Amino acid sequence: KIKIMRKNSLIVMLLVATFLFLTSCNKYEEGPSISFRSKTERLCNIWKPVKILVNGSETILSSDQQKTTIEFQKDGDVFITVYYLGIAVAQTGQWEFYDKSEKIILTMNTDDTIPSKDTLTILKLMEEELWLKKEINSDILEYHFEPK
């Protein structure tokens, strides 16, 4: 009877340890806790914004913002299409993971000889959700995307 109790308590301790390990492995602030797809596979998609928060308050997306897309490709290329007064403006560049894959650096091609660089913090990176955070001056912008 004592052997069975020891065996059961060992199994319970292993289950608790496994649970604690898996829940502590959360790379991104908002998830996922565990994924069987690589971070590149989850990121590489065409994304559209569904929510923008400024300092924690949700803003209403304009019709131009609703049409915006960002496409991450596996080869490191990124394509962003933004709209101004209904007119599409395409931007191209490169993306790369940074800071142990917790951030993305976007290097966008410009008319200048020096490309523009932007660093975004990944809050959530799932197959169906992408949340990015960016600080501009004293404002914190949070972008929530879903696949197009």
Side-chain angles (χ1 to χ4, degrees):
K1 196 170 189 175
I2 292 175
K3 283 185 177 182
I4 292 173
M5 287 176 56
R6 283 187 190 163
K7 188 175 180 181
N8 286 343
S9 63
L10 181 62
I11 291 171
V12 169
M13 287 184 354
L14 284 173
L15 287 173
V16 169
T18 302
F19 174 77
L20 291 174
F21 173 76
L22 290 176
T23 57
S24 67
C25 290
N26 197 0
K27 183 166 201 72
Y28 304 116
E29 196 174 304
E30 298 292 335
S33 295
I34 190 166
S35 177
F36 297 106
R37 296 183 71 212
S38 74
K39 60 191 176 300
T40 301
E41 287 175 328
R42 285 178 277 149
L43 180 67
C44 291
N45 203 340
I46 301 173
W47 299 94
K48 65 177 183 176
V50 291
K51 185 188 290 187
I52 298 175
L53 299 145
V54 179
N55 298 322
S57 298
E58 187 173 348
T59 63
I60 296 172
L61 294 175
S62 70
S63 60
D64 282 346
Q65 288 172 320
Q66 291 173 25
K67 291 185 261 181
T68 296
T69 60
I70 181 167
E71 178 180 0
F72 294 96
Q73 295 190 335
K74 288 183 181 176
D75 64 1
D77 287 339
V78 64
F79 301 95
I80 300 174
T81 304
V82 294
Y83 287 80
Y84 298 103
L85 302 172
I87 299 169
V89 177
Q91 299 172 322
T92 61
Q94 290 73 45
W95 70 270
E96 63 182 298
F97 286 113
Y98 171 71
D99 194 15
K100 299 180 184 175
S101 300
E102 293 182 12
K103 296 180 180 175
I104 298 172
I105 295 178
L106 297 179
T107 306
M108 303 307 295
N109 302 323
T110 63
D111 294 336
D112 300 332
T113 54
I114 301 171
S116 72
K117 283 197 174 204
D118 222 351
T119 302
L120 302 159
T121 301
I122 302 169
L123 298 176
K124 186 177 216 176
L125 177 55
M126 299 176 74
E127 188 174 351
E128 297 295 322
E129 285 183 278
L130 171 63
W131 295 7
L132 300 173
K133 180 174 79 172
K134 177 180 175 178
E135 294 183 35
I136 299 176
N137 300 323
S138 60
D139 291 324
I140 297 173
L141 301 171
E142 192 173 305
Y143 303 94
H144 294 200
F145 297 92
E146 67 181 23
K148 182 175 176 190

Coordinates of all heavy atoms in Angstrom, one line a residue, residues 53-131:
L53 N -4.8 50.3 -30.0 CA -5.0 50.9 -28.7 C -3.9 51.9 -28.6 O -2.7 51.7 -28.9 CB -4.8 49.8 -27.6 CG -5.8 48.7 -27.6 CD1 -5.2 47.4 -27.2 CD2 -7.0 49.0 -26.7
V54 N -4.3 53.1 -28.0 CA -3.3 54.2 -27.8 C -3.4 54.4 -26.2 O -4.4 54.7 -25.7 CB -3.7 55.5 -28.5 CG1 -2.7 56.6 -28.1 CG2 -3.7 55.2 -30.0
N55 N -2.2 54.1 -25.6 CA -2.2 54.2 -24.1 C -3.3 53.4 -23.5 O -3.9 53.8 -22.5 CB -2.1 55.6 -23.7 CG -1.0 56.4 -24.2 OD1 0.2 55.8 -24.3 ND2 -1.2 57.6 -24.6
G56 N -3.6 52.2 -24.0 CA -4.6 51.3 -23.4 C -6.0 51.6 -23.8 O -6.9 50.8 -23.5
S57 N -6.3 52.7 -24.5 CA -7.7 53.0 -25.0 C -7.8 52.6 -26.4 O -7.0 53.0 -27.3 CB -8.0 54.5 -24.8 OG -7.9 54.8 -23.4
E58 N -8.9 51.9 -26.7 CA -9.2 51.5 -28.1 C -9.6 52.7 -29.0 O -10.4 53.5 -28.5 CB -10.2 50.4 -28.2 CG -10.4 49.8 -29.5 CD -11.4 48.6 -29.5 OE1 -11.7 48.1 -28.5 OE2 -11.8 48.2 -30.6
T59 N -9.0 52.8 -30.2 CA -9.4 53.8 -31.1 C -10.3 53.2 -32.2 O -10.3 52.0 -32.4 CB -8.2 54.4 -31.8 OG1 -7.5 53.4 -32.6 CG2 -7.2 55.0 -30.8
I60 N -11.1 54.0 -32.8 CA -11.9 53.5 -33.9 C -11.1 53.5 -35.2 O -10.5 54.5 -35.6 CB -13.2 54.4 -34.1 CG1 -14.0 54.3 -32.8 CG2 -14.0 54.0 -35.3 CD1 -15.2 55.3 -32.7
L61 N -11.0 52.4 -35.9 CA -10.3 52.3 -37.1 C -11.0 53.0 -38.2 O -12.2 52.8 -38.5 CB -10.1 50.8 -37.5 CG -9.3 49.9 -36.7 CD1 -9.3 48.5 -37.2 CD2 -7.8 50.4 -36.6
S62 N -10.3 53.9 -38.9 CA -10.8 54.6 -40.1 C -11.0 53.6 -41.2 O -10.4 52.5 -41.2 CB -9.9 55.7 -40.5 OG -8.7 55.2 -41.1
S63 N -11.7 53.9 -42.3 CA -11.9 53.0 -43.4 C -10.5 52.7 -44.1 O -10.3 51.6 -44.5 CB -12.9 53.5 -44.4 OG -12.5 54.8 -44.9
D64 N -9.7 53.7 -44.1 CA -8.3 53.5 -44.6 C -7.5 52.6 -43.8 O -6.8 51.7 -44.3 CB -7.6 54.9 -44.8 CG -8.0 55.7 -46.0 OD1 -8.7 55.2 -46.9 OD2 -7.7 56.9 -46.0
Q65 N -7.6 52.7 -42.5 CA -6.8 51.8 -41.6 C -7.4 50.4 -41.7 O -6.6 49.4 -41.6 CB -7.0 52.2 -40.1 CG -6.2 53.5 -39.8 CD -6.4 54.0 -38.5 OE1 -7.6 54.0 -38.0 NE2 -5.4 54.5 -37.8
Q66 N -8.7 50.2 -41.9 CA -9.3 48.9 -42.1 C -8.8 48.1 -43.3 O -8.7 46.9 -43.4 CB -10.8 48.9 -42.1 CG -11.4 49.4 -40.8 CD -12.9 49.6 -40.9 OE1 -13.5 49.1 -41.7 NE2 -13.4 50.4 -40.0
K67 N -8.3 48.9 -44.3 CA -7.9 48.3 -45.6 C -6.3 48.0 -45.6 O -5.8 47.3 -46.4 CB -8.2 49.2 -46.8 CG -9.7 49.3 -47.1 CD -9.9 50.1 -48.3 CE -10.3 51.5 -47.9 NZ -10.6 52.4 -49.1
T68 N -5.7 48.6 -44.6 CA -4.2 48.4 -44.5 C -3.8 46.9 -44.3 O -4.5 46.2 -43.7 CB -3.7 49.2 -43.3 OG1 -3.9 50.6 -43.5 CG2 -2.2 48.9 -43.0
T69 N -2.7 46.5 -45.0 CA -2.2 45.1 -44.8 C -0.7 45.2 -44.6 O 0.0 46.1 -45.1 CB -2.5 44.2 -46.0 OG1 -1.9 44.8 -47.2 CG2 -4.0 44.1 -46.3
I70 N -0.3 44.2 -43.9 CA 1.2 43.9 -43.7 C 1.4 42.5 -44.0 O 0.8 41.6 -43.4 CB 1.7 44.4 -42.4 CG1 3.2 44.2 -42.3 CG2 0.9 43.7 -41.2 CD1 3.8 44.9 -41.1
E71 N 2.3 42.2 -44.9 CA 2.7 40.8 -45.3 C 4.1 40.5 -45.0 O 5.0 41.2 -45.5 CB 2.4 40.6 -46.8 CG 2.8 39.2 -47.3 CD 2.6 39.0 -48.7 OE1 2.1 39.9 -49.5 OE2 2.8 37.8 -49.2
F72 N 4.3 39.5 -44.1 CA 5.6 39.0 -43.8 C 5.9 37.8 -44.6 O 5.1 36.9 -44.6 CB 5.7 38.7 -42.3 CG 5.6 39.9 -41.3 CD1 4.3 40.2 -40.8 CD2 6.7 40.6 -41.0 CE1 4.2 41.3 -39.9 CE2 6.5 41.7 -40.2 CZ 5.3 42.0 -39.6
Q73 N 7.0 37.7 -45.3 CA 7.4 36.6 -46.0 C 8.6 35.8 -45.4 O 9.4 36.5 -44.7 CB 7.7 37.0 -47.5 CG 6.5 37.5 -48.2 CD 6.7 37.7 -49.7 OE1 7.9 37.8 -50.2 NE2 5.6 37.6 -50.5
K74 N 8.6 34.5 -45.7 CA 9.7 33.7 -45.0 C 11.1 34.1 -45.4 O 12.0 33.9 -44.6 CB 9.4 32.2 -45.3 CG 8.2 31.6 -44.6 CD 8.1 30.2 -44.9 CE 6.8 29.7 -44.2 NZ 6.5 28.3 -44.4
D75 N 11.3 34.7 -46.6 CA 12.6 35.1 -47.0 C 13.1 36.4 -46.3 O 14.1 36.9 -46.6 CB 12.7 35.2 -48.5 CG 11.8 36.3 -49.1 OD1 11.1 37.0 -48.3 OD2 11.7 36.4 -50.3
G76 N 12.2 37.0 -45.5 CA 12.6 38.2 -44.8 C 12.0 39.5 -45.4 O 12.3 40.6 -44.9
D77 N 11.3 39.4 -46.5 CA 10.7 40.6 -47.1 C 9.4 40.9 -46.4 O 8.7 40.0 -45.9 CB 10.4 40.3 -48.6 CG 11.6 40.3 -49.5 OD1 12.7 40.8 -49.1 OD2 11.6 39.7 -50.6
V78 N 9.1 42.2 -46.4 CA 7.8 42.6 -45.8 C 7.2 43.6 -46.8 O 7.9 44.4 -47.4 CB 8.0 43.3 -44.4 CG1 8.9 44.5 -44.5 CG2 6.7 43.6 -43.8
F79 N 5.9 43.5 -47.0 CA 5.1 44.4 -47.9 C 4.0 45.0 -47.0 O 3.2 44.3 -46.5 CB 4.6 43.7 -49.1 CG 5.6 43.0 -49.9 CD1 6.0 41.7 -49.7 CD2 6.3 43.7 -50.9 CE1 7.0 41.0 -50.4 CE2 7.3 43.1 -51.6 CZ 7.6 41.7 -51.4
I80 N 4.0 46.3 -47.0 CA 2.9 47.1 -46.3 C 2.2 47.9 -47.3 O 2.8 48.6 -48.1 CB 3.5 47.9 -45.2 CG1 4.3 47.1 -44.1 CG2 2.4 48.7 -44.5 CD1 5.0 47.9 -43.1
T81 N 0.8 47.8 -47.2 CA 0.0 48.7 -48.0 C -0.9 49.5 -47.1 O -1.6 48.9 -46.3 CB -0.9 47.8 -49.0 OG1 -0.1 47.0 -49.8 CG2 -1.7 48.7 -49.9
V82 N -0.7 50.8 -47.2 CA -1.5 51.7 -46.4 C -2.3 52.6 -47.3 O -2.0 52.7 -48.5 CB -0.6 52.6 -45.5 CG1 0.1 51.8 -44.4 CG2 0.4 53.4 -46.3
Y83 N -3.4 53.1 -46.8 CA -4.3 53.9 -47.6 C -4.4 55.3 -47.1 O -4.5 55.5 -45.9 CB -5.7 53.2 -47.7 CG -5.7 52.0 -48.5 CD1 -5.3 50.8 -48.0 CD2 -6.2 52.0 -49.8 CE1 -5.3 49.6 -48.7 CE2 -6.2 50.9 -50.6 CZ -5.7 49.7 -50.0 OH -5.7 48.5 -50.8
Y84 N -4.3 56.3 -48.0 CA -4.5 57.7 -47.7 C -5.6 58.2 -48.5 O -5.5 58.2 -49.8 CB -3.2 58.5 -47.9 CG -2.1 58.0 -47.0 CD1 -1.0 57.2 -47.5 CD2 -2.0 58.4 -45.7 CE1 0.0 56.8 -46.7 CE2 -0.9 58.0 -44.9 CZ 0.1 57.2 -45.4 OH 1.1 56.8 -44.6
L85 N -6.7 58.6 -47.9 CA -7.9 59.1 -48.7 C -8.3 58.1 -49.7 O -8.6 58.4 -50.9 CB -7.6 60.4 -49.3 CG -7.2 61.5 -48.3 CD1 -6.8 62.8 -49.0 CD2 -8.4 61.8 -47.3
G86 N -8.2 56.8 -49.4 CA -8.7 55.7 -50.3 C -7.7 55.3 -51.4 O -7.9 54.4 -52.2
I87 N -6.5 55.9 -51.4 CA -5.5 55.6 -52.4 C -4.4 54.7 -51.7 O -3.8 55.1 -50.7 CB -4.8 56.9 -52.9 CG1 -5.9 57.8 -53.6 CG2 -3.7 56.6 -53.9 CD1 -5.4 59.2 -54.0
A88 N -4.1 53.6 -52.3 CA -3.2 52.6 -51.8 C -1.7 53.1 -52.0 O -1.4 53.6 -53.1 CB -3.3 51.3 -52.4
V89 N -0.9 53.0 -51.0 CA 0.5 53.3 -51.1 C 1.3 52.1 -50.6 O 1.1 51.7 -49.4 CB 0.9 54.6 -50.2 CG1 2.3 54.9 -50.3 CG2 0.0 55.8 -50.6
A90 N 2.0 51.5 -51.5 CA 2.8 50.3 -51.1 C 4.2 50.6 -50.6 O 4.8 51.5 -51.2 CB 2.9 49.4 -52.3
Q91 N 4.6 49.9 -49.6 CA 5.9 50.1 -49.0 C 6.6 48.7 -49.0 O 5.9 47.7 -48.7 CB 5.9 50.7 -47.6 CG 5.3 52.1 -47.6 CD 5.1 52.5 -46.2 OE1 4.7 51.8 -45.3 NE2 5.3 53.8 -45.9
T92 N 7.9 48.6 -49.2 CA 8.6 47.4 -49.2 C 9.8 47.5 -48.2 O 10.2 48.6 -48.0 CB 9.1 46.9 -50.6 OG1 10.0 47.9 -51.0 CG2 8.0 46.8 -51.6
G93 N 10.2 46.3 -47.8 CA 11.3 46.4 -46.9 C 11.7 44.9 -46.4 O 11.3 44.0 -47.1
Q94 N 12.4 44.9 -45.3 CA 12.8 43.6 -44.8 C 12.4 43.6 -43.3 O 12.3 44.6 -42.6 CB 14.3 43.4 -44.9 CG 14.8 43.2 -46.3 CD 14.8 44.4 -47.1 OE1 15.2 45.5 -46.7 NE2 14.3 44.3 -48.4
W95 N 12.2 42.3 -42.8 CA 11.9 42.1 -41.4 C 12.9 41.1 -40.8 O 13.5 40.3 -41.5 CB 10.5 41.7 -41.1 CG 10.2 40.3 -41.6 CD1 9.8 39.9 -42.8 CD2 10.4 39.1 -40.8 NE1 9.7 38.5 -42.9 CE2 10.0 38.0 -41.7 CE3 10.8 38.8 -39.5 CZ2 10.1 36.7 -41.2 CZ3 10.8 37.5 -39.1 CH2 10.5 36.4 -40.0
E96 N 13.1 41.2 -39.5 CA 14.0 40.2 -38.8 C 13.6 40.2 -37.3 O 13.1 41.2 -36.8 CB 15.4 40.5 -39.0 CG 15.9 41.9 -38.3 CD 17.3 42.2 -38.5 OE1 18.2 41.4 -38.0 OE2 17.7 43.2 -39.2
F97 N 13.7 39.0 -36.7 CA 13.5 38.9 -35.3 C 14.7 39.5 -34.6 O 15.8 39.5 -35.1 CB 13.3 37.4 -34.9 CG 12.0 36.9 -35.3 CD1 11.9 35.9 -36.2 CD2 10.8 37.3 -34.7 CE1 10.7 35.3 -36.5 CE2 9.6 36.8 -35.0 CZ 9.5 35.8 -35.9
Y98 N 14.4 40.0 -33.4 CA 15.5 40.7 -32.6 C 15.2 40.4 -31.1 O 14.1 40.2 -30.8 CB 15.5 42.2 -33.0 CG 16.3 43.0 -32.1 CD1 17.7 43.0 -32.2 CD2 15.8 43.9 -31.2 CE1 18.5 43.8 -31.4 CE2 16.6 44.7 -30.4 CZ 17.9 44.7 -30.5 OH 18.7 45.5 -29.7
D99 N 16.2 40.5 -30.3 CA 16.1 40.4 -28.9 C 15.4 39.1 -28.5 O 14.3 39.1 -27.9 CB 15.3 41.6 -28.3 CG 15.4 41.7 -26.8 OD1 16.3 41.0 -26.2 OD2 14.6 42.5 -26.2
K100 N 16.1 38.0 -28.9 CA 15.6 36.6 -28.6 C 14.2 36.4 -29.2 O 13.3 35.8 -28.6 CB 15.6 36.4 -27.1 CG 16.9 36.4 -26.5 CD 16.9 36.1 -25.0 CE 18.3 36.3 -24.4 NZ 18.2 36.2 -22.9
S101 N 13.9 37.0 -30.3 CA 12.7 36.8 -31.1 C 11.5 37.5 -30.3 O 10.3 37.2 -30.6 CB 12.4 35.4 -31.4 OG 13.4 34.8 -32.2
E102 N 11.7 38.4 -29.4 CA 10.7 39.1 -28.7 C 10.3 40.4 -29.4 O 9.3 41.0 -29.1 CB 11.0 39.3 -27.3 CG 11.1 38.0 -26.5 CD 11.4 38.2 -25.0 OE1 11.4 39.4 -24.5 OE2 11.7 37.2 -24.4
K103 N 11.1 40.8 -30.4 CA 10.8 42.0 -31.2 C 11.1 41.7 -32.7 O 11.7 40.8 -33.0 CB 11.8 43.1 -30.7 CG 11.6 43.5 -29.3 CD 12.5 44.6 -28.8 CE 12.2 44.9 -27.4 NZ 13.2 45.9 -26.8
I104 N 10.5 42.6 -33.5 CA 10.7 42.6 -34.9 C 11.3 43.9 -35.3 O 10.8 45.0 -34.9 CB 9.3 42.4 -35.6 CG1 8.7 41.1 -35.3 CG2 9.5 42.5 -37.2 CD1 7.3 40.9 -35.8
I105 N 12.3 43.9 -36.1 CA 12.8 45.1 -36.7 C 12.4 45.1 -38.2 O 12.6 44.2 -38.9 CB 14.4 45.1 -36.7 CG1 14.9 45.2 -35.2 CG2 14.9 46.3 -37.4 CD1 16.4 45.2 -35.1
L106 N 11.7 46.3 -38.5 CA 11.3 46.5 -39.9 C 12.2 47.5 -40.5 O 12.4 48.6 -39.9 CB 9.9 47.0 -39.9 CG 8.8 46.2 -39.4 CD1 7.4 46.9 -39.5 CD2 8.7 44.8 -40.2
T107 N 12.9 47.2 -41.6 CA 13.7 48.1 -42.3 C 13.0 48.4 -43.6 O 13.0 47.6 -44.5 CB 15.1 47.5 -42.5 OG1 15.7 47.1 -41.3 CG2 16.1 48.5 -43.2
M108 N 12.4 49.6 -43.7 CA 11.6 49.9 -44.9 C 12.4 50.7 -45.9 O 13.2 51.6 -45.5 CB 10.4 50.7 -44.4 CG 9.5 50.0 -43.4 SD 9.0 48.3 -43.9 CE 8.0 48.6 -45.3
N109 N 12.2 50.4 -47.1 CA 12.9 51.1 -48.2 C 12.2 52.5 -48.3 O 11.0 52.6 -48.2 CB 12.8 50.4 -49.5 CG 13.4 49.0 -49.4 OD1 14.4 48.8 -48.8 ND2 12.8 48.0 -50.0
T110 N 13.0 53.5 -48.5 CA 12.5 54.9 -48.7 C 13.1 55.5 -49.9 O 14.0 55.0 -50.6 CB 12.8 55.8 -47.5 OG1 14.3 55.9 -47.4 CG2 12.3 55.1 -46.2
D111 N 12.6 56.7 -50.2 CA 13.2 57.5 -51.3 C 14.6 58.0 -51.0 O 15.4 58.3 -51.9 CB 12.3 58.7 -51.7 CG 11.0 58.2 -52.3 OD1 10.9 57.1 -52.8 OD2 10.0 59.0 -52.2
D112 N 14.9 58.1 -49.7 CA 16.2 58.5 -49.2 C 17.2 57.3 -49.4 O 16.8 56.2 -49.6 CB 16.2 58.9 -47.8 CG 15.2 60.0 -47.5 OD1 15.0 60.8 -48.4 OD2 14.7 60.1 -46.4
T113 N 18.4 57.6 -49.3 CA 19.4 56.6 -49.4 C 19.5 55.7 -48.1 O 19.9 54.6 -48.1 CB 20.8 57.1 -49.6 OG1 21.1 58.1 -48.6 CG2 20.9 57.8 -51.0
I114 N 19.0 56.3 -47.0 CA 19.0 55.6 -45.7 C 17.6 55.0 -45.5 O 16.6 55.8 -45.4 CB 19.4 56.5 -44.6 CG1 20.8 57.1 -44.8 CG2 19.3 55.8 -43.2 CD1 21.2 58.2 -43.9
P115 N 17.5 53.7 -45.3 CA 16.1 53.1 -45.1 C 15.7 53.5 -43.6 O 16.5 53.8 -42.8 CB 16.3 51.6 -45.2 CG 17.8 51.4 -45.2 CD 18.5 52.7 -45.5
S116 N 14.4 53.5 -43.4 CA 13.8 53.7 -42.1 C 13.7 52.4 -41.3 O 13.3 51.4 -41.9 CB 12.5 54.4 -42.2 OG 11.5 53.6 -42.6
K117 N 14.1 52.5 -40.0 CA 14.0 51.3 -39.2 C 13.0 51.5 -38.1 O 12.9 52.6 -37.5 CB 15.4 51.0 -38.5 CG 16.3 50.3 -39.5 CD 17.5 49.7 -38.7 CE 18.3 49.0 -39.7 NZ 19.1 47.9 -39.1
D118 N 12.3 50.5 -37.8 CA 11.2 50.5 -36.7 C 11.3 49.2 -35.9 O 11.5 48.2 -36.5 CB 9.9 50.6 -37.4 CG 8.9 51.6 -36.8 OD1 9.3 52.1 -35.7 OD2 7.9 51.8 -37.3
T119 N 11.3 49.3 -34.6 CA 11.3 48.2 -33.8 C 9.9 48.0 -33.1 O 9.4 49.0 -32.5 CB 12.4 48.3 -32.7 OG1 13.7 48.4 -33.4 CG2 12.5 47.0 -31.8
L120 N 9.4 46.8 -33.2 CA 8.1 46.5 -32.6 C 8.2 45.4 -31.7 O 8.9 44.4 -32.0 CB 7.0 46.1 -33.7 CG 6.8 47.2 -34.8 CD1 6.2 46.6 -36.0 CD2 5.9 48.3 -34.3
T121 N 7.6 45.4 -30.5 CA 7.6 44.4 -29.5 C 6.4 43.4 -29.8 O 5.3 43.9 -30.0 CB 7.5 44.9 -28.1 OG1 8.6 45.8 -27.9 CG2 7.5 43.8 -27.1
I122 N 6.7 42.1 -29.8 CA 5.7 41.1 -30.0 C 5.0 40.8 -28.7 O 5.6 40.4 -27.8 CB 6.2 39.8 -30.6 CG1 7.0 40.1 -31.9 CG2 5.1 38.8 -30.8 CD1 7.8 38.9 -32.4
L123 N 3.7 41.1 -28.6 CA 2.9 40.8 -27.4 C 2.3 39.4 -27.6 O 2.1 38.7 -26.6 CB 1.9 41.8 -27.2 CG 2.4 43.2 -26.9 CD1 1.2 44.2 -26.8 CD2 3.2 43.3 -25.7
K124 N 1.8 39.1 -28.8 CA 1.1 37.8 -29.0 C 1.4 37.4 -30.5 O 1.3 38.2 -31.4 CB -0.4 38.0 -28.8 CG -1.2 36.7 -28.9 CD -2.7 37.0 -28.6 CE -3.3 35.9 -27.9 NZ -4.7 36.2 -27.5
L125 N 1.8 36.1 -30.7 CA 2.1 35.6 -32.0 C 1.5 34.2 -32.1 O 2.1 33.2 -31.7 CB 3.6 35.6 -32.2 CG 4.1 35.0 -33.6 CD1 3.5 35.7 -34.7 CD2 5.6 35.1 -33.6
M126 N 0.3 34.2 -32.7 CA -0.4 33.0 -32.9 C -0.8 32.9 -34.4 O -0.7 33.9 -35.1 CB -1.7 32.9 -32.0 CG -1.3 33.0 -30.5 SD -2.8 33.0 -29.5 CE -3.3 31.3 -29.6
E127 N -1.2 31.7 -34.8 CA -1.6 31.5 -36.2 C -2.7 32.5 -36.6 O -2.7 33.0 -37.8 CB -2.0 30.1 -36.4 CG -2.3 29.7 -37.9 CD -2.6 28.2 -38.0 OE1 -2.5 27.5 -37.1 OE2 -3.0 27.9 -39.2
E128 N -3.6 32.8 -35.7 CA -4.8 33.6 -36.1 C -4.8 35.0 -35.4 O -5.7 35.8 -35.5 CB -6.1 32.9 -35.7 CG -6.3 31.6 -36.4 CD -6.5 31.8 -37.9 OE1 -7.2 32.8 -38.3 OE2 -6.0 31.0 -38.7
E129 N -3.7 35.3 -34.7 CA -3.6 36.6 -34.0 C -2.1 37.1 -33.9 O -1.3 36.3 -33.6 CB -4.1 36.5 -32.6 CG -5.6 36.5 -32.4 CD -6.0 36.5 -30.9 OE1 -5.9 35.4 -30.3 OE2 -6.3 37.5 -30.4
L130 N -2.0 38.4 -34.1 CA -0.7 39.0 -34.0 C -0.9 40.4 -33.3 O -1.7 41.2 -33.8 CB 0.0 39.3 -35.4 CG 1.3 40.1 -35.4 CD1 2.4 39.5 -34.6 CD2 1.7 40.4 -36.9
W131 N -0.2 40.5 -32.1 CA -0.3 41.8 -31.4 C 1.1 42.4 -31.3 O 2.0 41.7 -30.9 CB -0.8 41.6 -30.0 CG -2.2 41.1 -29.9 CD1 -3.1 40.7 -30.9 CD2 -2.9 40.9 -28.7 NE1 -4.3 40.3 -30.3 CE2 -4.2 40.4 -29.0 CE3 -2.6 41.2 -27.3 CZ2 -5.2 40.2 -28.0 CZ3 -3.6 40.9 -26.4 CH2 -4.9 40.4 -26.7

